[in-house]
Amino acid sequence: MSLMDEVTSRALSLGIPFSLHLDVTYRCNERCVHCYLDHDDHGEMTADEIKRVLCQAASAGTLILTLSGGEPFLRKDFFDILAYARSLMFSVKIKTNGLLIGAEQAQRLRELHVGEVQISIYSHRPEVHDGITKVRGSLDRSLNAIRFLRSQGLTTVIACPLMRANISDYPEVQALAAELGVAFTMDPTITPKIDGDMSIVQHRLARPEIAQIFQDSTLVGDVHEFCKPAGPTTDDLLESVPCSAGHTSVYVSPYGEVFPCVQFPITCGNVREQPLNEIWYHSDQMNRVRNIRVKDLHTCSGCDHLSGCTRCPGLAYMEGDMRGPSSADCEKSQIKAGLAHIDTLPAQLQLVQIQL
């Protein structure tokens, strides 16, 4: 077990909100086709309100802080908020598109000892990347931001959300990350809008495309290990928590709403009305989420794929039942299981199976 795993396990046993994801704004200077947010400003928290939340989180034992949006650098007081967060000794990760990061901003991030900056790059081709962001020149500007960050020695990550528009380009984005000397991560999950609108899930990958990435060892490691059949359902697994949301992690929106996770939009309270600690420990909705164990998942607990599934309770909630299955994760588990099965078939039949 790694040190981080040990610390997280300890936080779970003590009921500590070990990590906080705080979106400081939903406003954005891009209009990504798959984005789940409403970019209008409906009265976001002031810097003083955000600092109060950060102080409360620090007193509760939070260590890891993710600052995101929208585009966090659109807030003119962002560096003021960031400096305050660092004064509380949070380990800070920033998610940004990088369009507003130049040499001066990169230097300030280094001076504040930001732990990591993550920037989304959808393709090495401007016509694809800019087509997704709906901002001409955004690829060049994001790549320039990465270069500024690297010049300051900052840990930088290229995130590549995968969807139908860019599925063929991720190998080149991965190569670009290596060329720039930054880490690379990808995610094939496209979530519904935070208000429940399901229209953007049309951008999700089709089954053959998911099968393609599940067979790419540069993404999943040992393909045989990744796609091996699920193990037995043990008593320990059934008694475990389904997800860290509401157990060691919490999300606060720009308007003060508190959710178990950014992808789990069940409102548990509002920090403009109650202290974060009070919501974390005493919210009926938070405790409702927290009391769920894997054995309580009425469909998943009896599924043969349970031990290898990446079920998201937030996606299940948006589909109508947080104790039920998440259809997107069910599909991924079924594809993995199918790949494990066809691994024993002749090569000429494997292609036919994958294309079905």
Side-chain angles (χ1 to χ4, degrees):
M1 180 183 291
S2 69
L3 176 60
M4 184 59 71
D5 288 338
E6 291 183 21
V7 173
T8 303
S9 177
R10 182 67 172 163
L12 177 62
S13 67
L14 296 174
I16 292 173
F18 182 61
S19 64
L20 166 63
H21 181 148
L22 172 61
D23 281 343
V24 296
T25 183
Y26 282 161
R27 291 176 288 129
C28 194
N29 46 6
E30 293 183 334
R31 286 295 182 269
C32 298
V33 297
H34 63 293
C35 185
Y36 53 86
L37 298 175
D38 172 2
H39 295 304
D40 292 333
D41 181 358
H42 299 286
E44 60 197 32
M45 289 188 288
T46 65
D48 286 342
E49 287 177 311
I50 290 174
K51 289 177 182 179
R52 185 167 62 246
V53 173
L54 293 176
C55 188
Q56 293 167 1
S59 68
T62 301
L63 176 62
I64 298 174
L65 172 66
T66 298
L67 296 175
S68 184
E71 174 46 51
F73 285 90
L74 281 175
R75 285 194 65 130
K76 295 181 180 179
D77 54 9
F78 179 68
F79 277 107
D80 180 37
I81 293 168
L82 177 58
Y84 185 75
R86 288 295 297 130
S87 75
L88 295 174
M89 302 304 292
F90 289 113
S91 173
V92 177
K93 173 181 180 179
I94 298 173
K95 293 186 176 182
T96 171
N97 57 40
L99 299 192
L100 299 177
I101 296 178
E104 180 182 345
Q105 290 76 22
Q107 182 178 353
R108 184 72 177 124
L109 294 174
R110 178 182 62 80
E111 291 169 350
L112 288 169
H113 302 287
V114 169
E116 178 181 302
V117 182
Q118 178 178 299
I119 295 179
S120 293
I121 300 293
Y122 301 101
S123 172
H124 63 297
R125 295 183 292 161
E127 63 269 25
V128 175
H129 177 96
D130 297 358
I132 290 172
T133 66
K134 300 302 180 184
V135 175
R136 182 175 296 177
S138 58
L139 175 59
D140 287 341
R141 292 170 66 185
S142 292
L143 292 177
N144 283 336
I146 292 171
R147 295 184 181 100
F148 283 127
L149 294 168
R150 290 297 297 133
S151 73
Q152 295 297 318
L154 287 159
T155 299
T156 310
V157 178
I158 282 180
C160 184
L162 291 182
M163 63 197 89
R164 296 190 177 192
N166 70 339
I167 179 60
S168 64
D169 289 2
Y170 76 81
E172 285 77 12
V173 177
Q174 192 174 21
L176 182 60
E179 177 186 331
L180 293 169
V182 302
F184 172 84
T185 182
M186 69 87 198
D187 188 354
T189 304
I190 302 296
T191 64
K193 286 183 176 290
I194 203 165
D195 63 3
D197 182 347
M198 300 292 288
S199 61
I200 59 175
V201 301
Q202 65 180 305
H203 297 289
R204 284 177 177 170
L205 299 179
R207 290 179 69 96
E209 294 165 333
I210 297 173
Q212 172 189 332
I213 64 173
F214 282 0
Q215 289 189 306
D216 188 336
S217 61
T218 68
L219 298 178
V220 303
D222 186 330
V223 175
H224 293 87
E225 181 69 18
F226 182 77
C227 292
K228 71 179 181 181
T233 299
T234 64
D235 290 340
D236 285 345
L237 175 58
L238 290 172
E239 293 294 336
S240 66
V241 299
C243 175
S244 64
H247 293 277
T248 59
S249 63
V250 64
Y251 169 74
V252 178
S253 82
Y255 312 122
E257 303 154 304
V258 179
F259 303 155
C261 170
V262 67
Q263 292 183 342
F264 199 159
I266 178 172
T267 304
C268 300
N270 194 300
V271 294
R272 284 173 156 166
E273 301 167 0
Q274 298 172 274
L276 178 62
N277 301 3
E278 184 177 321
I279 297 170
W280 174 258
Y281 289 110
H282 302 298
S283 161
D284 289 342
Q285 291 286 51
M286 191 71 78
N287 283 319
R288 181 181 162 208
V289 171
R290 194 174 288 142
N291 288 334
I292 297 174
R293 295 296 179 269
V294 171
K295 66 182 179 182
D296 301 318
L297 307 178
H298 52 73
T299 300
C300 303
S301 59
C303 178
D304 292 339
H305 306 310
L306 178 62
S307 66
C309 184
T310 57
R311 172 190 177 273
C312 173
L315 293 179
Y317 173 76
M318 284 189 276
E319 290 184 23
D321 186 355
M322 66 180 175
R323 284 181 167 82
S326 158
S327 60
D329 292 310
C330 288
E331 182 177 48
K332 292 173 190 173
S333 294
Q334 292 164 5
I335 292 170
K336 284 174 65 177
L339 292 173
H341 169 69
I342 68 170
D343 189 54
T344 61
L345 296 176
Q348 64 270 26
L349 291 181
Q350 292 184 23
L351 180 61
V352 174
Q353 292 280 334
I354 293 171
Q355 290 178 338
L356 290 179

